[in-house]
Amino acid sequence: MFFHIFISRLKINIRNKDAILWSLVFSLALGTLFYFAFNSIYKNAKSTTIKVAVVENDATSGYMDLSSSLSDLKYEDGSKILDIKKVDYDAAIELLNKDEDDKDRVSGIIDLRDIEDVKLEVKETGTAQSVLASVVSVYRQYISIIVETIKKDPSNISNVISEFENEAASLVESKSLSGDNKDPYVTYFYSLITMMSVMACMAGVIVPESCQANQSDVGARVDVSSVGRMTYELAGLLSAAIIQVSITIIGLFYYTKILKVNFGGDENLVFLTAVLSTILGISLGFFVGHIGRLSQKARENILMIFVVAGGFLSGLMVANMKILVEMKAPIVNRINPSAVITDAFYALNMYGVSDRYYHAVAYIVGLSIIFITGGLIMSRRKSYASL
Amino acid sequence: MSQTVVEINNLVKRYKELIALDNFSLKIEEGEVFGLLGPNGSGKTTTINCLLSLLSYDKGEVKVFGEAMKPDRLDLKARIGVVSQNVAVFNELTVYENVDFFCGLYIKDKKLKKQYVNEALEFVDIMDFKNFYPKKLSGGLLRRLNIACGIAHKPELIIFDEPTVAVDPQSRNRILEGIAELNKNGATIIYTSHYMEEVEQLCNRVLIMDKGKMIACGTSDELRRMIKNSESVVVNIKRLDESVIEDIKKLNHVYDVRYMNDILTIKCSGGKHNITHVVEYFAERQLNYDRIYSELPTLNDVFLEITGKELRDKE
Amino acid sequence: MQVFKSFFKIVRSYKSGIILYAAITMLMAILVSSQYDKSETTAYSNIKLSVLVRDYDNSELSKKVVDYLKSQHDVHFDDYEDDMIKDLIFGEYYTAYIEIPKGFMDSHLSDNKKNISILYDSNKAYGNFVALELGSFVDGVARFENAGFTLSEAVKNTNNAIDTDKFVVADNDDEGNTNSKEYSLFLFLPYAIMSIVLWCLLPAVLRFNGKDIKDRTMVSRLSPLKRNVCLFLGSTVVSMIVYLGVIVVTGVFIGSSFFSGKCLLSALNLLIFTFVTGTLLIFIASFPSEGVLKSRDVLVNIIGLSFSFLGGIFVPLEMLGDSIKSVGRFLPTYWYAVALRRIEDGGELDTVFQCFGMELIFGVFCLALGLAISRVTIYLSKS
């Protein structure tokens, strides 16, 4: 009988083409949109080489080999921070004033003509200009040490220069943020998969509808039959789960294989997490489907508000919202299923298979069990006060 | 000896201030076609839902097949079939799949289930439409599908709750014939309706109810004998004098005379050949009339006399 | 008038859902605006970033380091766990985390130095910039001290050497963007309006466009045009009621600054957008109703989220790729965001009104298309 009900419910779910179609449209359309919107942001921010013009004169050219040490500065991945162009001042001004989309445009001019007063000329405020200012300030320091030492104690100058030559290690130790994919915009994809998974609750909420007399005519017919309630509902849940999990997997496959979004961490675990999250979504709907005497429409409204609000709080619309919630009311992130699911993906990316990931998965699985068990307990056969 | 299939004793059901069932009782024997008749809102569907343990009740006792009926008595439910007032089928499944699904909730054996499903489709005569989806069916065919879903598993007790509402005459006749056949094959039938003609045609015993109370119960003949009116003589006659009406009132066994819209209705209590007496009177007075006929009292008359109102709203 | 009046009755039956949904989306809007209460960079200086600092040393030198950081950036001293700190840097809430260890000052000139650690995403210029800057200050101070200067002399000389006012020649008019609380709130409101209006009114409009009801009204004396006009007017009126509710809540939250020119203009922008959303509703409801009604939840989310992302509501327009912006230009959310930006930056009124015009063009287009589709479906059903 379980198999009979399961097959029939599967047919009913599959033939509900509108629901399946719109769910797929949701995941594929939004995923594509996110891809084109965010794909280039991090790549462009990442390791951006800054074009700069360096102006020297014969007196200062080669002095302290400033320009070659400038060009030696590198990012973690080995790419250069600065792209140096040695030109005269007029040519440098021309390069600075070029249009924004001109590839020869420079972000600033480092003027080395007066070595005691190295200057930086820029046209606007921005990260590139700030990086150039930091670079120039280092060299101005060196110069300042020499000048001030000469003023204070000229006999010490040789010590100072030998200190420069035997440059001690910096007092500032850089530590790079770990993680497989450090692109913060990947969190939008986490939130999207999360929303798809939690939206599966709309498939879960209709399972009780078809076996409770106070919810539908078909429910009344099934309620007076001799089929066990648990058998019926579990078969219904399983059929809903298969459809919804398939939709989630299709969406995730599209993101990872077609759009080539790197979720970070083991891809198999990413898929597994998505599957478990979808089951959580269905079980949530299943549970809400049994609560109280609300109409089916009211239940669906409550679930949709939960999906949207939960998605918002986990960073679907404004990426920093989850962090803001973590700072102001961390308990919300612990109990909001959407936040826990996005955290599972994040943990896989940043820490791999770690305690944080296990905690998230344990919560997802545990909550699913609680919802399903709670729903089954509430669904035991009873008479209704009114139909 | 026939078994009592359904026994309801002193059932009380309240919806806040409204008493839907007021110490309601009935007993249905095995093999009966039992009619539950009453106007809209009299409590017929409430009775059925309480009988099936879908509705809770405040007081009373419900027994089916001699045992107390409860929501988790799946063994009792396995022997009951329900054809509800509303069409309860899945729009996403075909006709065949719907009957197969609901039959499968009772019958585990695949071969037997298949046989039952085909028999049910043949029985309601919708085999030609087995691959259609419910949306494509007319109202009458949908009702037949609804019936097939309720009876496919060959239950011992079948409850029809107003199965012919909004159904064309051809389908209606087909449904009534089918129900009679089911009864012939051994099923006990409970049939609720506010169409007295169907109940009179189909049922062995009828219970008339109103406002949650039993008004009368018995065979059609027994019910008719309960009221004063044993015969109504109806005459289509134009421009009748008041004195004629007074004279007719004085005839034997006549207890009520009404003249409205050129129709003279003479109610008689007891006696024989009442129509002959009326014909003789008109002949004596040389009065011309268009038509004269006699009719036996209907269940509506029974209801009207007992409650003072019509069984069904005037159409 | 019959259709118009009945429309309201139907909408009233959904009022509890409307109120609940409106409350949730307004709460979301307020939450979003609460994180944008600080202004960003103004005229030329190095860019100001948010950094998290922990000073375990609490020495004279470490305090100087912290003072230097405070002069350059927005420094925070919140106490978070390590995982949380990584989350905050990953999410670009902080650019870097700087930890000054105990014993830093005592050891900084010796061979066994205890280094200041800085955690950041090394693939990004922001993080590298902060590291470079901090390094130049701290190492500069150490160099001066090694050259025989006292700590306070070393700090003073280092500051002089690296003070951008002394060596950066800026030739720009760029005053940078400011994002006030009001701007952030108004930026989110189109999403709230779209969600509320589409989610709550769609079922009501679709009831009238359901096959049976539509057929019944079509055989009446009421002409299709009049019927559609009534539906449109009904949707518009209800949308305006929603708008008023949203504006009242916004006004209460913003306070007296709501009556400033910028806010009033922003409110006008939102009014136009609300009207346009009403026309979008008519367009969507002109399609076969059963499929749309069943998928209302998903459909509203698709439209609300995609319009908002493409239009620069959730993510600033400047950050979106060119291909996305070229698509976004066809949407009213884009022109709403552009108008709002111009209002915030004190742009010319006629440039703002241009954006209003673009929004209205979209609205007219939706309305015309919706009415045309409705007409065609009636014609097809009759034939």
Side-chain angles (χ1 to χ4, degrees), chain C residues 21-22 29 38 98 104 109 111 128 133 169 173 198 231 235 269 355 376:
Chain C
Y21 205 84
K38 299 176 194 67
I98 295 158
F104 168 68
L109 296 175
D111 288 334
N128 283 293
E133 211 186 34
V169 178
D173 303 321
L198 293 180
L231 275 180
S235 311
N269 192 14
C355 297
V376 165

PDB file of all heavy atoms in Angstrom, chain C residues 21-22 29 38 98 104 109 111 128 133 169 173 198 231 235 269 355 376:
ATOM      1  N   TYR C  21       2.205  40.480   5.510  1.00  0.00           N
ATOM      2  CA  TYR C  21       3.279  40.580   4.525  1.00  0.00           C
ATOM      3  C   TYR C  21       3.863  41.981   4.520  1.00  0.00           C
ATOM      4  O   TYR C  21       5.087  42.162   4.442  1.00  0.00           O
ATOM      5  CB  TYR C  21       2.730  40.227   3.142  1.00  0.00           C
ATOM      6  CG  TYR C  21       3.781  39.711   2.196  1.00  0.00           C
ATOM      7  CD1 TYR C  21       4.162  38.378   2.205  1.00  0.00           C
ATOM      8  CD2 TYR C  21       4.393  40.555   1.281  1.00  0.00           C
ATOM      9  CE1 TYR C  21       5.124  37.894   1.350  1.00  0.00           C
ATOM     10  CE2 TYR C  21       5.353  40.080   0.423  1.00  0.00           C
ATOM     11  CZ  TYR C  21       5.717  38.754   0.449  1.00  0.00           C
ATOM     12  OH  TYR C  21       6.680  38.271  -0.404  1.00  0.00           O
ATOM     13  N   ALA C  22       2.997  42.998   4.603  1.00  0.00           N
ATOM     14  CA  ALA C  22       3.476  44.383   4.609  1.00  0.00           C
ATOM     15  C   ALA C  22       4.341  44.640   5.835  1.00  0.00           C
ATOM     16  O   ALA C  22       5.399  45.270   5.740  1.00  0.00           O
ATOM     17  CB  ALA C  22       2.291  45.344   4.579  1.00  0.00           C
ATOM     18  N   ALA C  29      12.955  46.494   5.500  1.00  0.00           N
ATOM     19  CA  ALA C  29      13.457  47.770   4.995  1.00  0.00           C
ATOM     20  C   ALA C  29      14.151  48.552   6.108  1.00  0.00           C
ATOM     21  O   ALA C  29      15.225  49.125   5.917  1.00  0.00           O
ATOM     22  CB  ALA C  29      12.307  48.583   4.411  1.00  0.00           C
ATOM     23  N   LYS C  38      26.346  55.507   8.505  1.00  0.00           N
ATOM     24  CA  LYS C  38      27.604  56.249   8.496  1.00  0.00           C
ATOM     25  C   LYS C  38      27.894  56.688   7.088  1.00  0.00           C
ATOM     26  O   LYS C  38      27.646  55.961   6.150  1.00  0.00           O
ATOM     27  CB  LYS C  38      28.734  55.332   8.969  1.00  0.00           C
ATOM     28  CG  LYS C  38      28.539  54.821  10.373  1.00  0.00           C
ATOM     29  CD  LYS C  38      29.653  53.854  10.697  1.00  0.00           C
ATOM     30  CE  LYS C  38      29.348  53.042  11.942  1.00  0.00           C
ATOM     31  NZ  LYS C  38      28.250  52.121  11.842  1.00  0.00           N
ATOM     32  N   ILE C  98      43.405  43.485  13.054  1.00  0.00           N
ATOM     33  CA  ILE C  98      44.782  43.769  13.470  1.00  0.00           C
ATOM     34  C   ILE C  98      44.924  43.424  14.940  1.00  0.00           C
ATOM     35  O   ILE C  98      44.131  43.890  15.780  1.00  0.00           O
ATOM     36  CB  ILE C  98      45.095  45.261  13.235  1.00  0.00           C
ATOM     37  CG1 ILE C  98      45.042  45.540  11.730  1.00  0.00           C
ATOM     38  CG2 ILE C  98      46.459  45.640  13.816  1.00  0.00           C
ATOM     39  CD1 ILE C  98      44.807  46.982  11.381  1.00  0.00           C
ATOM     40  N   PHE C 104      54.658  43.642  22.669  1.00  0.00           N
ATOM     41  CA  PHE C 104      55.064  44.185  21.358  1.00  0.00           C
ATOM     42  C   PHE C 104      56.083  45.309  21.530  1.00  0.00           C
ATOM     43  O   PHE C 104      57.142  45.327  20.887  1.00  0.00           O
ATOM     44  CB  PHE C 104      53.815  44.679  20.603  1.00  0.00           C
ATOM     45  CG  PHE C 104      54.130  45.502  19.387  1.00  0.00           C
ATOM     46  CD1 PHE C 104      54.722  44.921  18.276  1.00  0.00           C
ATOM     47  CD2 PHE C 104      53.865  46.873  19.351  1.00  0.00           C
ATOM     48  CE1 PHE C 104      55.041  45.678  17.162  1.00  0.00           C
ATOM     49  CE2 PHE C 104      54.169  47.622  18.228  1.00  0.00           C
ATOM     50  CZ  PHE C 104      54.762  47.029  17.135  1.00  0.00           C
ATOM     51  N   LEU C 109      62.275  46.298  19.128  1.00  0.00           N
ATOM     52  CA  LEU C 109      63.590  46.657  18.615  1.00  0.00           C
ATOM     53  C   LEU C 109      64.605  45.538  18.841  1.00  0.00           C
ATOM     54  O   LEU C 109      65.780  45.701  18.506  1.00  0.00           O
ATOM     55  CB  LEU C 109      64.080  47.951  19.286  1.00  0.00           C
ATOM     56  CG  LEU C 109      63.231  49.184  18.978  1.00  0.00           C
ATOM     57  CD1 LEU C 109      63.708  50.398  19.785  1.00  0.00           C
ATOM     58  CD2 LEU C 109      63.295  49.520  17.491  1.00  0.00           C
ATOM     59  N   ASP C 111      65.843  41.282  18.718  1.00  0.00           N
ATOM     60  CA  ASP C 111      65.859  40.226  17.694  1.00  0.00           C
ATOM     61  C   ASP C 111      64.630  39.335  17.785  1.00  0.00           C
ATOM     62  O   ASP C 111      64.171  38.791  16.791  1.00  0.00           O
ATOM     63  CB  ASP C 111      67.124  39.356  17.834  1.00  0.00           C
ATOM     64  CG  ASP C 111      68.342  40.122  17.376  1.00  0.00           C
ATOM     65  OD1 ASP C 111      68.179  41.046  16.530  1.00  0.00           O
ATOM     66  OD2 ASP C 111      69.452  39.824  17.846  1.00  0.00           O
ATOM     67  N   ASN C 128      45.400  44.664   1.093  1.00  0.00           N
ATOM     68  CA  ASN C 128      46.816  44.958   0.874  1.00  0.00           C
ATOM     69  C   ASN C 128      47.137  46.408   1.226  1.00  0.00           C
ATOM     70  O   ASN C 128      48.197  46.706   1.777  1.00  0.00           O
ATOM     71  CB  ASN C 128      47.180  44.702  -0.585  1.00  0.00           C
ATOM     72  CG  ASN C 128      47.338  43.224  -0.859  1.00  0.00           C
ATOM     73  OD1 ASN C 128      48.256  42.577  -0.366  1.00  0.00           O
ATOM     74  ND2 ASN C 128      46.417  42.662  -1.620  1.00  0.00           N
ATOM     75  N   GLU C 133      49.946  50.241   4.569  1.00  0.00           N
ATOM     76  CA  GLU C 133      49.855  51.473   5.351  1.00  0.00           C
ATOM     77  C   GLU C 133      50.332  51.256   6.782  1.00  0.00           C
ATOM     78  O   GLU C 133      51.119  52.020   7.333  1.00  0.00           O
ATOM     79  CB  GLU C 133      48.401  51.882   5.346  1.00  0.00           C
ATOM     80  CG  GLU C 133      48.149  53.348   5.418  1.00  0.00           C
ATOM     81  CD  GLU C 133      46.667  53.605   5.550  1.00  0.00           C
ATOM     82  OE1 GLU C 133      45.975  52.790   6.198  1.00  0.00           O
ATOM     83  OE2 GLU C 133      46.205  54.613   5.002  1.00  0.00           O
ATOM     84  N   VAL C 169      49.063  65.472  -4.454  1.00  0.00           N
ATOM     85  CA  VAL C 169      48.451  66.576  -5.193  1.00  0.00           C
ATOM     86  C   VAL C 169      47.208  66.025  -5.863  1.00  0.00           C
ATOM     87  O   VAL C 169      47.281  65.148  -6.724  1.00  0.00           O
ATOM     88  CB  VAL C 169      49.421  67.121  -6.264  1.00  0.00           C
ATOM     89  CG1 VAL C 169      48.754  68.228  -7.062  1.00  0.00           C
ATOM     90  CG2 VAL C 169      50.705  67.604  -5.605  1.00  0.00           C
ATOM     91  N   ASP C 173      37.175  66.888  -8.447  1.00  0.00           N
ATOM     92  CA  ASP C 173      35.957  67.467  -7.902  1.00  0.00           C
ATOM     93  C   ASP C 173      35.159  66.418  -7.159  1.00  0.00           C
ATOM     94  O   ASP C 173      34.087  66.681  -6.661  1.00  0.00           O
ATOM     95  CB  ASP C 173      35.066  67.989  -9.044  1.00  0.00           C
ATOM     96  CG  ASP C 173      35.826  68.987  -9.871  1.00  0.00           C
ATOM     97  OD1 ASP C 173      36.576  69.770  -9.277  1.00  0.00           O
ATOM     98  OD2 ASP C 173      35.695  68.946 -11.113  1.00  0.00           O
ATOM     99  N   LEU C 198       2.148  42.971  -5.549  1.00  0.00           N
ATOM    100  CA  LEU C 198       1.974  41.785  -6.402  1.00  0.00           C
ATOM    101  C   LEU C 198       1.436  40.603  -5.605  1.00  0.00           C
ATOM    102  O   LEU C 198       0.507  39.915  -6.016  1.00  0.00           O
ATOM    103  CB  LEU C 198       3.311  41.411  -7.067  1.00  0.00           C
ATOM    104  CG  LEU C 198       3.844  42.398  -8.096  1.00  0.00           C
ATOM    105  CD1 LEU C 198       5.165  41.909  -8.657  1.00  0.00           C
ATOM    106  CD2 LEU C 198       2.854  42.613  -9.213  1.00  0.00           C
ATOM    107  N   LEU C 231     -10.853  47.487 -13.265  1.00  0.00           N
ATOM    108  CA  LEU C 231      -9.844  46.659 -12.584  1.00  0.00           C
ATOM    109  C   LEU C 231      -8.561  47.449 -12.357  1.00  0.00           C
ATOM    110  O   LEU C 231      -7.949  47.375 -11.295  1.00  0.00           O
ATOM    111  CB  LEU C 231      -9.520  45.414 -13.421  1.00  0.00           C
ATOM    112  CG  LEU C 231     -10.447  44.208 -13.240  1.00  0.00           C
ATOM    113  CD1 LEU C 231      -9.997  43.059 -14.125  1.00  0.00           C
ATOM    114  CD2 LEU C 231     -10.504  43.762 -11.792  1.00  0.00           C
ATOM    115  N   SER C 235      -6.959  48.410  -8.821  1.00  0.00           N
ATOM    116  CA  SER C 235      -5.576  48.061  -8.453  1.00  0.00           C
ATOM    117  C   SER C 235      -4.805  49.306  -8.056  1.00  0.00           C
ATOM    118  O   SER C 235      -4.036  49.286  -7.094  1.00  0.00           O
ATOM    119  CB  SER C 235      -4.838  47.420  -9.622  1.00  0.00           C
ATOM    120  OG  SER C 235      -5.580  46.414 -10.184  1.00  0.00           O
ATOM    121  N   ASN C 269       9.149  59.885  -5.947  1.00  0.00           N
ATOM    122  CA  ASN C 269       9.752  58.808  -6.746  1.00  0.00           C
ATOM    123  C   ASN C 269       9.073  57.474  -6.443  1.00  0.00           C
ATOM    124  O   ASN C 269       8.718  56.703  -7.338  1.00  0.00           O
ATOM    125  CB  ASN C 269      11.246  58.749  -6.425  1.00  0.00           C
ATOM    126  CG  ASN C 269      12.010  57.865  -7.405  1.00  0.00           C
ATOM    127  OD1 ASN C 269      11.508  57.502  -8.472  1.00  0.00           O
ATOM    128  ND2 ASN C 269      13.227  57.527  -7.051  1.00  0.00           N
ATOM    129  N   CYS C 355      14.235  60.575 -15.050  1.00  0.00           N
ATOM    130  CA  CYS C 355      14.129  59.205 -14.526  1.00  0.00           C
ATOM    131  C   CYS C 355      12.674  58.863 -14.220  1.00  0.00           C
ATOM    132  O   CYS C 355      12.220  57.740 -14.477  1.00  0.00           O
ATOM    133  CB  CYS C 355      14.950  59.044 -13.254  1.00  0.00           C
ATOM    134  SG  CYS C 355      16.692  59.279 -13.537  1.00  0.00           S
ATOM    135  N   VAL C 376      -7.067  40.192 -26.666  1.00  0.00           N
ATOM    136  CA  VAL C 376      -6.798  39.076 -27.575  1.00  0.00           C
ATOM    137  C   VAL C 376      -7.360  37.773 -26.996  1.00  0.00           C
ATOM    138  O   VAL C 376      -7.964  36.971 -27.712  1.00  0.00           O
ATOM    139  CB  VAL C 376      -5.270  38.944 -27.836  1.00  0.00           C
ATOM    140  CG1 VAL C 376      -4.933  37.605 -28.454  1.00  0.00           C
ATOM    141  CG2 VAL C 376      -4.800  40.080 -28.728  1.00  0.00           C
TER     142      VAL C 376
END
